[in-house]
Amino acid sequence: FDIDVDLSFKNGVYMQEPFDQMVISGLYKNGILHLDDLSMTKEKSIGLHIDGIVPLKNHGDQVAISMESSFSNLSLEFLHRFIPGFFKISGLATGDINLNGTNEETHFSYDIKIDKPEFELVKMKNLVSKGYYNGKNLFIETAKATNENGHIYTSGNIPFDLNIGSSTFGKYFANDSIKLKTEADLSDLPFLSPYIPDLDSASGNYKILLLVEGPIQNLTRSGYILIQDGVFY
């Protein structure tokens, strides 16, 4: 069947996220969604806009994805509800994500800023990151996280399965290798203390280099921690 949709909703809730207005406009035909506009707004808060072409069924000729999205103050908890098995994340994201490729081999690029991000137990003041995905690896070109007491930089690649038609979406490619480089300049250890409570009382100037490489089951770690004026209570 084919569907031609042009809808507008006001003062509603979608996936536990309240909105002032939501617009859905597009055509579904032959298993392909032609999205003219999907937007959700909340005054002085959320802004989300998506348009493009997405095949919702597997096609023998591998119909290409072409989708652009932009957003401001978008709750990462809202996104996490679509991927509940992924790592716990929260914060407010602003930026853009552009998709192409196919359901079987999805490609995308991203450029985002997140205010008050949380990743599992780690809380930060803000995070800025830019990178891309090639169907096999998430390449983090730059990522800088800051809080009141310092910053941490990360770059490298992670073999996540982020192909939108995959049954293992959000999981690691077990046989592929991670390669990450992390550098930090901190006056406490907020990225470690949630996991090692004894470090809550540590203070000083910490310069950290951490290299992580290898398959997820057999990671190799190397680097150093330089401590200046350190105090451990």
Side-chain angles (χ1 to χ4, degrees):
F1 58 90
D2 300 339
I3 302 176
D4 193 353
V5 178
D6 191 0
L7 300 172
S8 178
F9 305 90
K10 293 185 182 294
N11 301 320
V13 177
Y14 177 63
M15 294 291 285
Q16 303 176 39
E17 197 70 37
F19 60 83
D20 293 335
Q21 181 167 328
M22 176 187 285
V23 174
I24 304 173
S25 177
L27 170 67
Y28 176 79
K29 186 173 183 178
N30 297 327
I32 301 174
L33 177 62
H34 302 262
L35 194 60
D36 296 323
D37 183 17
L38 172 58
S39 58
M40 188 169 75
T41 57
K42 184 178 180 182
E43 185 179 2
K44 298 179 181 179
S45 180
I46 298 171
L48 168 67
H49 172 77
I50 303 173
D51 64 73
I53 299 172
V54 181
L56 299 183
K57 292 183 178 179
N58 290 327
H59 286 255
D61 54 355
Q62 292 191 329
V63 177
I65 300 168
S66 177
M67 176 171 285
E68 297 183 355
S69 65
S70 58
F71 44 89
S72 60
N73 294 319
L74 181 64
S75 169
L76 294 185
E77 292 179 332
F78 170 67
L79 297 180
H80 188 262
R81 295 179 190 118
F82 291 92
I83 321 171
F86 195 61
F87 297 98
K88 182 181 177 182
I89 55 175
S90 64
L92 298 176
T94 298
D96 58 76
I97 300 176
N98 299 314
L99 282 80
N100 52 58
T102 65
N103 281 352
E104 295 76 20
E105 187 175 311
T106 305
H107 296 185
F108 65 81
S109 61
Y110 73 91
D111 189 350
I112 60 173
K113 176 184 177 182
I114 305 173
D115 291 324
K116 297 181 179 179
E118 294 186 23
F119 183 86
E120 293 292 319
L121 300 178
V122 177
K123 298 181 180 181
M124 294 160 273
K125 182 178 180 181
N126 60 62
L127 170 67
V128 178
S129 184
K130 182 178 181 181
Y132 64 95
Y133 182 70
N134 69 352
K136 294 182 179 180
N137 279 271
L138 176 63
F139 289 89
I140 303 169
E141 295 181 297
T142 59
K144 179 183 179 182
T146 61
N147 67 6
E148 291 79 2
N149 298 315
H151 59 260
I152 182 168
Y153 293 96
T154 299
S155 61
N157 63 278
I158 307 173
F160 278 136
D161 183 355
L162 298 178
N163 299 293
I164 62 175
S166 174
S167 61
T168 58
F169 184 91
K171 304 295 184 181
Y172 288 109
F173 287 119
N175 297 323
D176 291 340
S177 293
I178 294 174
K179 186 174 182 179
L180 288 175
K181 178 181 180 181
T182 300
E183 297 178 271
D185 192 345
L186 305 164
S187 58
D188 60 18
L189 298 172
F191 302 98
L192 294 177
S193 56
Y195 301 95
I196 309 174
D198 289 344
L199 294 179
D200 280 338
S201 59
S203 64
N205 297 315
Y206 302 92
K207 295 185 185 295
I208 301 171
L209 173 65
L210 175 63
L211 304 174
V212 178
E213 297 182 83
I216 189 66
Q217 306 92 336
N218 189 26
L219 293 175
T220 299
R221 301 170 180 86
S222 60
Y224 64 79
I225 300 177
L226 174 62
I227 304 173
Q228 296 174 313
D229 302 320
V231 178
F232 295 86
Y233 299 98

